[in-house]
Short mmCIF file of all heavy atoms in Angstrom, two decimals:
data_model
loop_
_atom_site.label_atom_id
_atom_site.label_comp_id
_atom_site.label_asym_id
_atom_site.label_seq_id
_atom_site.Cartn_x
_atom_site.Cartn_y
_atom_site.Cartn_z
N MET H 9 0.86 -1.18 0.00
CA MET H 9 0.00 0.00 0.00
C MET H 9 0.89 1.24 0.00
O MET H 9 1.78 1.36 0.85
CB MET H 9 -0.89 0.00 1.24
CG MET H 9 -1.75 -1.24 1.36
SD MET H 9 -2.31 -1.57 3.06
CE MET H 9 -0.83 -2.29 3.77
N VAL H 10 0.65 2.12 -0.95
CA VAL H 10 1.43 3.36 -1.05
C VAL H 10 0.46 4.53 -0.92
O VAL H 10 -0.45 4.68 -1.74
CB VAL H 10 2.20 3.44 -2.38
CG1 VAL H 10 2.98 4.74 -2.47
CG2 VAL H 10 3.12 2.23 -2.54
N VAL H 11 0.66 5.33 0.11
CA VAL H 11 -0.15 6.52 0.33
C VAL H 11 0.75 7.72 0.11
O VAL H 11 1.69 7.95 0.88
CB VAL H 11 -0.77 6.53 1.74
CG1 VAL H 11 -1.61 7.79 1.95
CG2 VAL H 11 -1.61 5.27 1.97
N ALA H 12 0.49 8.44 -0.97
CA ALA H 12 1.32 9.59 -1.34
C ALA H 12 0.48 10.86 -1.27
O ALA H 12 -0.60 10.92 -1.86
CB ALA H 12 1.88 9.40 -2.75
N ASP H 13 0.97 11.84 -0.53
CA ASP H 13 0.20 13.08 -0.41
C ASP H 13 1.04 14.29 -0.76
O ASP H 13 2.27 14.24 -0.80
CB ASP H 13 -0.39 13.22 1.00
CG ASP H 13 0.65 13.47 2.08
OD1 ASP H 13 1.52 14.35 1.91
OD2 ASP H 13 0.59 12.80 3.12
N LYS H 14 0.32 15.35 -1.05
CA LYS H 14 0.93 16.67 -1.22
C LYS H 14 0.59 17.42 0.06
O LYS H 14 -0.58 17.56 0.40
CB LYS H 14 0.33 17.39 -2.42
CG LYS H 14 0.58 16.67 -3.72
CD LYS H 14 -0.15 17.35 -4.86
CE LYS H 14 -0.06 16.46 -6.08
NZ LYS H 14 -1.32 16.33 -6.77
N GLY H 15 1.61 17.86 0.75
CA GLY H 15 1.30 18.51 2.01
C GLY H 15 2.52 19.07 2.69
O GLY H 15 3.56 19.26 2.07
N PRO H 16 2.39 19.26 4.00
CA PRO H 16 3.46 19.91 4.74
C PRO H 16 4.68 19.03 4.97
O PRO H 16 5.74 19.53 5.32
CB PRO H 16 2.80 20.26 6.07
CG PRO H 16 1.73 19.24 6.24
CD PRO H 16 1.23 18.97 4.84
N GLY H 17 4.55 17.72 4.77
CA GLY H 17 5.64 16.82 5.08
C GLY H 17 5.76 16.63 6.58
O GLY H 17 5.04 17.23 7.36
N ILE H 18 6.67 15.76 6.98
CA ILE H 18 6.88 15.46 8.40
C ILE H 18 8.27 15.97 8.77
O ILE H 18 9.28 15.40 8.34
CB ILE H 18 6.77 13.95 8.66
CG1 ILE H 18 5.41 13.40 8.19
CG2 ILE H 18 6.99 13.65 10.15
CD1 ILE H 18 5.32 11.89 8.21
N PRO H 19 8.35 17.03 9.57
CA PRO H 19 9.65 17.61 9.90
C PRO H 19 10.56 16.69 10.71
O PRO H 19 11.78 16.74 10.58
CB PRO H 19 9.31 18.86 10.71
CG PRO H 19 7.87 19.12 10.49
CD PRO H 19 7.24 17.83 10.08
N ASN H 20 9.97 15.84 11.58
CA ASN H 20 10.76 14.99 12.45
C ASN H 20 10.08 13.62 12.55
O ASN H 20 9.17 13.43 13.34
CB ASN H 20 10.90 15.64 13.83
CG ASN H 20 11.83 14.87 14.74
OD1 ASN H 20 11.97 13.65 14.65
ND2 ASN H 20 12.45 15.59 15.67
N ILE H 21 10.54 12.67 11.74
CA ILE H 21 9.90 11.35 11.70
C ILE H 21 10.05 10.63 13.04
O ILE H 21 9.09 10.00 13.51
CB ILE H 21 10.46 10.49 10.55
CG1 ILE H 21 10.02 11.09 9.21
CG2 ILE H 21 9.98 9.04 10.66
CD1 ILE H 21 10.55 10.38 8.00
N ASP H 22 11.19 10.74 13.69
CA ASP H 22 11.37 10.08 14.98
C ASP H 22 10.34 10.57 16.00
O ASP H 22 9.75 9.77 16.73
CB ASP H 22 12.78 10.31 15.53
CG ASP H 22 13.84 9.57 14.72
OD1 ASP H 22 13.50 8.53 14.10
OD2 ASP H 22 15.00 10.02 14.72
N LEU H 23 10.10 11.85 16.04
CA LEU H 23 9.11 12.41 16.94
C LEU H 23 7.70 11.96 16.54
O LEU H 23 6.89 11.57 17.39
CB LEU H 23 9.20 13.94 16.94
CG LEU H 23 8.37 14.70 17.96
CD1 LEU H 23 8.71 14.27 19.37
CD2 LEU H 23 8.61 16.20 17.80
N ALA H 24 7.41 11.97 15.24
CA ALA H 24 6.09 11.57 14.75
C ALA H 24 5.79 10.10 15.02
O ALA H 24 4.63 9.71 15.13
CB ALA H 24 5.98 11.86 13.26
N MET H 25 6.83 9.28 15.18
CA MET H 25 6.65 7.85 15.45
C MET H 25 6.37 7.57 16.93
O MET H 25 6.03 6.45 17.29
CB MET H 25 7.88 7.06 15.00
CG MET H 25 8.09 7.01 13.50
SD MET H 25 6.73 6.26 12.58
CE MET H 25 6.85 4.57 13.12
N GLN H 26 6.47 8.58 17.77
CA GLN H 26 6.21 8.39 19.20
C GLN H 26 4.71 8.39 19.48
O GLN H 26 4.00 9.29 19.02
CB GLN H 26 6.88 9.49 20.01
CG GLN H 26 8.39 9.44 19.98
CD GLN H 26 9.03 10.54 20.81
OE1 GLN H 26 8.39 11.14 21.66
NE2 GLN H 26 10.29 10.80 20.54
N GLU H 27 4.26 7.38 20.22
CA GLU H 27 2.84 7.31 20.57
C GLU H 27 2.44 8.57 21.33
O GLU H 27 3.11 8.99 22.26
CB GLU H 27 2.57 6.07 21.42
CG GLU H 27 2.69 4.79 20.63
CD GLU H 27 2.29 3.56 21.43
OE1 GLU H 27 1.73 3.70 22.54
OE2 GLU H 27 2.54 2.45 20.93
N GLY H 28 1.34 9.15 20.91
CA GLY H 28 0.80 10.33 21.57
C GLY H 28 1.23 11.65 20.96
O GLY H 28 0.62 12.68 21.23
N TYR H 29 2.26 11.65 20.12
CA TYR H 29 2.69 12.90 19.49
C TYR H 29 1.76 13.20 18.31
O TYR H 29 1.49 12.34 17.48
CB TYR H 29 4.12 12.81 18.98
CG TYR H 29 4.55 14.07 18.26
CD1 TYR H 29 4.92 15.19 18.98
CD2 TYR H 29 4.52 14.14 16.87
CE1 TYR H 29 5.29 16.36 18.32
CE2 TYR H 29 4.87 15.30 16.21
CZ TYR H 29 5.26 16.41 16.94
OH TYR H 29 5.59 17.57 16.29
N SER H 30 1.24 14.42 18.27
CA SER H 30 0.31 14.77 17.20
C SER H 30 0.44 16.24 16.84
O SER H 30 0.66 17.08 17.70
CB SER H 30 -1.13 14.50 17.66
OG SER H 30 -2.04 14.89 16.65
N THR H 31 0.28 16.51 15.56
CA THR H 31 0.21 17.89 15.07
C THR H 31 -1.18 18.20 14.53
O THR H 31 -1.37 19.18 13.82
CB THR H 31 1.27 18.15 13.98
OG1 THR H 31 1.02 17.24 12.89
CG2 THR H 31 2.68 17.96 14.50
N ALA H 32 -2.15 17.36 14.87
CA ALA H 32 -3.51 17.54 14.38
C ALA H 32 -4.11 18.84 14.90
O ALA H 32 -3.85 19.26 16.03
CB ALA H 32 -4.39 16.36 14.80
N SER H 33 -4.93 19.43 14.06
CA SER H 33 -5.60 20.68 14.44
C SER H 33 -6.68 20.40 15.49
O SER H 33 -7.15 19.27 15.64
CB SER H 33 -6.26 21.31 13.20
OG SER H 33 -7.36 20.51 12.80
N PRO H 34 -7.10 21.43 16.20
CA PRO H 34 -8.19 21.25 17.17
C PRO H 34 -9.47 20.69 16.52
O PRO H 34 -10.16 19.88 17.12
CB PRO H 34 -8.42 22.66 17.72
CG PRO H 34 -7.10 23.35 17.55
CD PRO H 34 -6.53 22.78 16.28
N GLN H 35 -9.75 21.10 15.28
CA GLN H 35 -10.94 20.60 14.59
C GLN H 35 -10.84 19.10 14.34
O GLN H 35 -11.83 18.38 14.50
CB GLN H 35 -11.14 21.33 13.24
CG GLN H 35 -11.43 22.81 13.37
CD GLN H 35 -10.17 23.67 13.52
OE1 GLN H 35 -9.04 23.18 13.55
NE2 GLN H 35 -10.36 24.97 13.66
N VAL H 36 -9.67 18.63 13.94
CA VAL H 36 -9.47 17.19 13.71
C VAL H 36 -9.61 16.44 15.03
O VAL H 36 -10.24 15.38 15.09
CB VAL H 36 -8.10 16.94 13.05
CG1 VAL H 36 -7.77 15.45 13.03
CG2 VAL H 36 -8.09 17.51 11.64
#
């Protein structure tokens, strides 16, 4: 499965892989 998006990218993959870390907006 390949999910390819156009977007902001992930500045820090190690941080994004940590459980509980999120950059989701309040609406999301």
Side-chain angles (χ1 to χ4, degrees):
M9 302 158 282
V10 179
V11 180
D13 69 48
K14 298 174 189 135
I18 303 170
N20 186 330
I21 292 177
D22 290 334
L23 188 58
M25 291 300 292
Q26 293 181 18
E27 290 185 11
Y29 177 79
S30 178
T31 59
S33 69
Q35 295 84 359
V36 170

